[in-house]
Coordinates of all heavy atoms in Angstrom, one line a residue:
R1 N 107.8 156.5 138.1 CA 108.0 155.1 137.8 C 109.3 154.8 137.1 O 109.5 155.4 136.0 CB 106.8 154.5 137.0 CG 106.8 153.0 136.9 CD 105.7 152.4 136.1 NE 105.8 152.7 134.7 CZ 105.1 152.0 133.7 NH1 104.3 151.0 134.1 NH2 105.3 152.3 132.5
L2 N 110.1 154.0 137.6 CA 111.4 153.6 137.0 C 111.2 152.3 136.2 O 110.4 151.5 136.6 CB 112.5 153.4 138.0 CG 112.7 154.6 139.0 CD1 113.9 154.3 139.8 CD2 113.0 155.9 138.2
S3 N 111.8 152.2 135.1 CA 111.8 151.0 134.3 C 113.2 150.5 134.1 O 114.2 151.2 134.1 CB 111.2 151.3 132.9 OG 109.8 151.8 133.0
C4 N 113.3 149.2 133.9 CA 114.5 148.5 133.6 C 114.3 147.4 132.6 O 113.7 146.4 133.0 CB 115.1 148.0 135.0 SG 116.6 147.0 134.8
V5 N 114.8 147.6 131.5 CA 114.7 146.6 130.4 C 115.9 145.6 130.5 O 117.1 146.1 130.5 CB 114.7 147.2 129.0 CG1 114.5 146.1 128.0 CG2 113.5 148.2 128.9
A6 N 115.6 144.4 130.5 CA 116.7 143.4 130.7 C 116.8 142.4 129.5 O 115.8 142.2 128.8 CB 116.4 142.5 132.0
S7 N 118.0 141.9 129.3 CA 118.1 140.8 128.4 C 117.4 139.6 128.9 O 117.1 139.5 130.0 CB 119.6 140.5 128.1 OG 120.1 139.9 129.3
G8 N 117.1 138.7 128.0 CA 116.4 137.5 128.3 C 117.1 136.7 129.4 O 116.4 136.2 130.4
R9 N 118.4 136.5 129.3 CA 119.1 135.7 130.3 C 119.1 136.4 131.6 O 118.9 135.8 132.6 CB 120.6 135.5 129.8 CG 121.5 134.8 130.8 CD 122.9 134.6 130.3 NE 122.9 133.7 129.1 CZ 124.0 133.4 128.5 NH1 125.2 133.9 128.9 NH2 123.9 132.6 127.4
T10 N 119.3 137.7 131.6 CA 119.4 138.5 132.9 C 118.0 138.5 133.5 O 117.9 138.4 134.7 CB 119.9 139.9 132.6 OG1 121.2 139.8 132.1 CG2 119.8 140.7 133.9
F11 N 116.9 138.6 132.7 CA 115.6 138.7 133.3 C 115.2 137.4 134.0 O 114.3 137.4 134.8 CB 114.6 139.0 132.1 CG 113.3 139.4 132.6 CD1 113.1 140.7 133.1 CD2 112.2 138.6 132.5 CE1 111.8 141.1 133.6 CE2 110.9 139.0 132.9 CZ 110.7 140.3 133.5
S12 N 115.8 136.3 133.6 CA 115.6 135.0 134.3 C 116.4 134.8 135.5 O 116.3 133.7 136.1 CB 115.8 133.9 133.3 OG 117.1 133.7 132.9
S13 N 117.2 135.7 136.0 CA 118.0 135.6 137.2 C 117.1 135.3 138.4 O 116.0 135.8 138.5 CB 118.8 136.9 137.4 OG 119.7 137.1 136.3
R14 N 117.7 134.6 139.3 CA 116.9 134.3 140.5 C 116.6 135.5 141.4 O 115.6 135.6 142.1 CB 117.6 133.2 141.3 CG 117.7 131.9 140.6 CD 118.2 130.8 141.5 NE 117.2 130.4 142.5 CZ 117.3 129.4 143.3 NH1 118.4 128.6 143.3 NH2 116.3 129.1 144.1
M15 N 117.5 136.4 141.4 CA 117.4 137.7 142.1 C 117.3 138.9 141.2 O 118.2 139.1 140.4 CB 118.5 137.9 143.1 CG 118.6 136.8 144.2 SD 119.8 137.2 145.5 CE 121.3 137.3 144.6
L16 N 116.3 139.6 141.4 CA 116.1 140.9 140.6 C 115.6 142.0 141.5 O 114.8 141.7 142.4 CB 115.0 140.7 139.5 CG 115.3 139.7 138.4 CD1 114.1 139.4 137.6 CD2 116.4 140.2 137.5
G17 N 116.1 143.1 141.4 CA 115.7 144.2 142.2 C 116.3 145.5 141.9 O 116.9 145.8 140.9
W18 N 116.1 146.4 142.9 CA 116.5 147.8 142.8 C 117.3 148.2 144.0 O 117.0 147.9 145.1 CB 115.3 148.7 142.7 CG 114.5 148.6 141.4 CD1 113.4 147.7 141.2 CD2 114.6 149.3 140.2 NE1 112.9 147.8 140.0 CE2 113.6 148.8 139.3 CE3 115.5 150.3 139.8 CZ2 113.5 149.3 138.0 CZ3 115.4 150.8 138.5 CH2 114.4 150.3 137.6
F19 N 118.4 148.9 143.7 CA 119.2 149.5 144.7 C 119.3 151.0 144.4 O 119.0 151.5 143.4 CB 120.7 148.9 144.6 CG 120.7 147.5 145.1 CD1 120.3 146.4 144.3 CD2 121.3 147.2 146.3 CE1 120.4 145.1 144.7 CE2 121.4 145.9 146.8 CZ 120.9 144.8 146.0
R20 N 119.8 151.7 145.4 CA 120.0 153.2 145.2 C 121.3 153.6 145.9 O 121.7 153.0 146.9 CB 118.8 154.0 145.7 CG 118.6 154.0 147.2 CD 117.3 154.7 147.5 NE 117.0 154.7 148.9 CZ 115.9 155.2 149.4 NH1 114.9 155.6 148.7 NH2 115.7 155.2 150.8
Q21 N 121.9 154.7 145.5 CA 123.1 155.2 146.1 C 123.0 156.7 146.1 O 123.0 157.4 145.0 CB 124.3 154.7 145.4 CG 125.6 155.1 146.1 CD 126.8 154.3 145.6 OE1 126.8 153.8 144.4 NE2 127.8 154.2 146.4
A22 N 123.0 157.3 147.3 CA 122.9 158.7 147.5 C 124.4 159.2 147.5 O 125.3 158.5 147.8 CB 122.2 159.1 148.7
P23 N 124.6 160.5 147.2 CA 125.9 161.1 147.2 C 126.6 160.9 148.6 O 126.0 161.2 149.6 CB 125.7 162.6 146.9 CG 124.4 162.6 146.1 CD 123.6 161.5 146.7
G24 N 127.8 160.3 148.5 CA 128.6 160.1 149.7 C 128.1 159.0 150.6 O 128.7 158.8 151.7
K25 N 127.2 158.2 150.1 CA 126.7 157.1 150.9 C 126.9 155.8 150.2 O 127.1 155.7 148.9 CB 125.2 157.3 151.2 CG 124.9 158.5 152.1 CD 123.5 158.5 152.5 CE 123.2 159.8 153.3 NZ 123.9 159.7 154.6
E26 N 126.8 154.7 150.9 CA 127.0 153.3 150.3 C 125.7 152.9 149.6 O 124.6 153.4 149.9 CB 127.3 152.3 151.4 CG 128.7 152.5 152.0 CD 129.0 151.4 153.0 OE1 128.3 150.4 153.1 OE2 130.1 151.5 153.6
R27 N 125.9 152.1 148.6 CA 124.7 151.5 147.9 C 123.9 150.7 148.8 O 124.4 149.9 149.6 CB 125.2 150.7 146.7 CG 124.1 150.3 145.7 CD 124.7 149.7 144.5 NE 125.6 150.6 143.8 CZ 126.3 150.3 142.7 NH1 126.2 149.1 142.2 NH2 127.1 151.2 142.2
E28 N 122.6 150.9 148.8 CA 121.6 150.2 149.6 C 120.5 149.6 148.8 O 120.1 150.1 147.7 CB 121.1 151.1 150.7 CG 120.3 152.2 150.2 CD 119.7 153.1 151.3 OE1 120.0 152.9 152.5 OE2 119.0 154.1 151.0
F29 N 119.9 148.5 149.3 CA 118.9 147.9 148.6 C 117.6 148.7 148.8 O 117.3 149.3 149.8 CB 118.7 146.4 148.9 CG 117.7 146.1 150.0 CD1 116.4 145.7 149.7 CD2 118.0 146.3 151.3 CE1 115.5 145.4 150.6 CE2 117.1 146.0 152.3 CZ 115.8 145.6 152.0
V30 N 116.7 148.6 147.8 CA 115.4 149.2 147.9 C 114.4 148.1 147.9 O 113.5 148.1 148.8 CB 115.1 150.1 146.7 CG1 113.7 150.7 146.7 CG2 116.2 151.3 146.6
V31 N 114.4 147.2 146.9 CA 113.5 146.1 146.9 C 114.2 144.9 146.1 O 114.8 145.2 145.1 CB 112.1 146.4 146.3 CG1 112.3 147.0 144.9 CG2 111.2 145.2 146.3
I32 N 114.0 143.7 146.6 CA 114.5 142.5 146.0 C 113.4 141.5 145.8 O 112.6 141.2 146.7 CB 115.6 141.9 146.8 CG1 116.8 142.9 147.0 CG2 116.1 140.6 146.2 CD1 117.5 143.3 145.8
Q33 N 113.4 140.9 144.6 CA 112.5 139.8 144.3 C 113.4 138.6 144.1 O 114.4 138.6 143.3 CB 111.7 140.0 143.1 CG 110.7 138.8 142.8 CD 110.0 138.9 141.5 OE1 110.6 138.6 140.4 NE2 108.8 139.3 141.5
Y34 N 113.1 137.5 144.9 CA 113.9 136.3 144.9 C 113.0 135.1 144.5 O 112.0 134.9 145.1 CB 114.6 136.1 146.2 CG 115.3 134.7 146.4 CD1 116.5 134.5 145.7 CD2 114.7 133.7 147.1 CE1 117.1 133.3 145.8 CE2 115.4 132.5 147.3 CZ 116.6 132.3 146.6 OH 117.2 131.1 146.8
R35 N 113.5 134.3 143.6 CA 112.8 133.1 143.2 C 113.4 131.9 143.9 O 114.6 131.6 143.7 CB 112.8 132.9 141.7 CG 112.0 131.7 141.2 CD 112.0 131.6 139.7 NE 113.3 131.1 139.2 CZ 114.1 131.9 138.6 NH1 113.8 133.1 138.3 NH2 115.3 131.4 138.1
N36 N 112.7 131.2 144.8 CA 113.3 130.1 145.5 C 113.3 128.9 144.6 O 112.9 128.8 143.5 CB 112.6 129.9 146.8 CG 111.2 129.4 146.7 OD1 110.8 128.9 145.6 ND2 110.4 129.5 147.8
G37 N 113.9 127.8 145.2 CA 114.0 126.5 144.5 C 112.7 125.9 144.0 O 112.7 125.2 143.0
G38 N 111.6 126.2 144.7 CA 110.3 125.7 144.3 C 109.6 126.6 143.3 O 108.4 126.4 142.9
G39 N 110.3 127.7 142.8 CA 109.7 128.6 141.8 C 108.8 129.6 142.4 O 108.1 130.4 141.7
K40 N 108.8 129.7 143.8 CA 108.0 130.8 144.4 C 108.8 132.1 144.5 O 110.0 132.0 144.7 CB 107.5 130.3 145.8 CG 106.6 129.1 145.7 CD 106.1 128.7 147.1 CE 105.1 127.6 147.1 NZ 104.6 127.2 148.4
Y41 N 108.1 133.2 144.5 CA 108.7 134.5 144.6 C 108.6 135.1 146.0 O 107.5 135.1 146.6 CB 108.2 135.4 143.6 CG 108.5 135.0 142.2 CD1 107.7 134.2 141.4 CD2 109.7 135.5 141.6 CE1 108.0 133.8 140.1 CE2 110.0 135.2 140.3 CZ 109.2 134.4 139.5 OH 109.5 134.0 138.3
L42 N 109.7 135.6 146.5 CA 109.7 136.4 147.7 C 110.2 137.8 147.4 O 111.1 138.0 146.6 CB 110.7 135.7 148.7 CG 110.5 134.3 149.1 CD1 111.6 133.8 149.9 CD2 109.1 134.1 149.8
V43 N 109.5 138.7 148.0 CA 109.8 140.1 147.8 C 110.1 140.8 149.1 O 109.3 140.7 150.0 CB 108.7 140.9 147.0 CG1 109.1 142.3 146.8 CG2 108.4 140.2 145.7
N44 N 111.2 141.5 149.2 CA 111.5 142.2 150.4 C 111.8 143.7 150.1 O 112.6 144.0 149.2 CB 112.8 141.6 151.0 CG 113.2 142.2 152.3 OD1 114.2 143.0 152.3 ND2 112.5 141.9 153.4
Y45 N 111.2 144.6 150.8 CA 111.4 146.0 150.7 C 112.2 146.5 151.8 O 112.0 146.1 153.0 CB 110.0 146.7 150.6 CG 109.2 146.5 149.4 CD1 108.2 145.4 149.4 CD2 109.2 147.3 148.3 CE1 107.4 145.2 148.3 CE2 108.4 147.1 147.2 CZ 107.5 146.0 147.2 OH 106.7 145.8 146.1
A46 N 113.0 147.5 151.6 CA 113.6 148.3 152.6 C 112.6 149.0 153.5 O 111.6 149.4 153.0 CB 114.6 149.3 152.1
D47 N 112.8 149.0 154.8 CA 111.9 149.7 155.7 C 111.6 151.1 155.3 O 110.4 151.6 155.4 CB 112.4 149.6 157.1 CG 112.4 148.3 157.7 OD1 111.7 147.4 157.2 OD2 113.1 148.1 158.7

């Protein structure tokens, strides 16, 4: 289990998530949580 402690301002960002980068490879997303204009959350995981 990975943890990420954020500042208050950063924690309120509309997009929050995790990326990873393997040696010699480009950074890729792992999971993203997005808060839309209506305050609903969308979560997308890499396949």
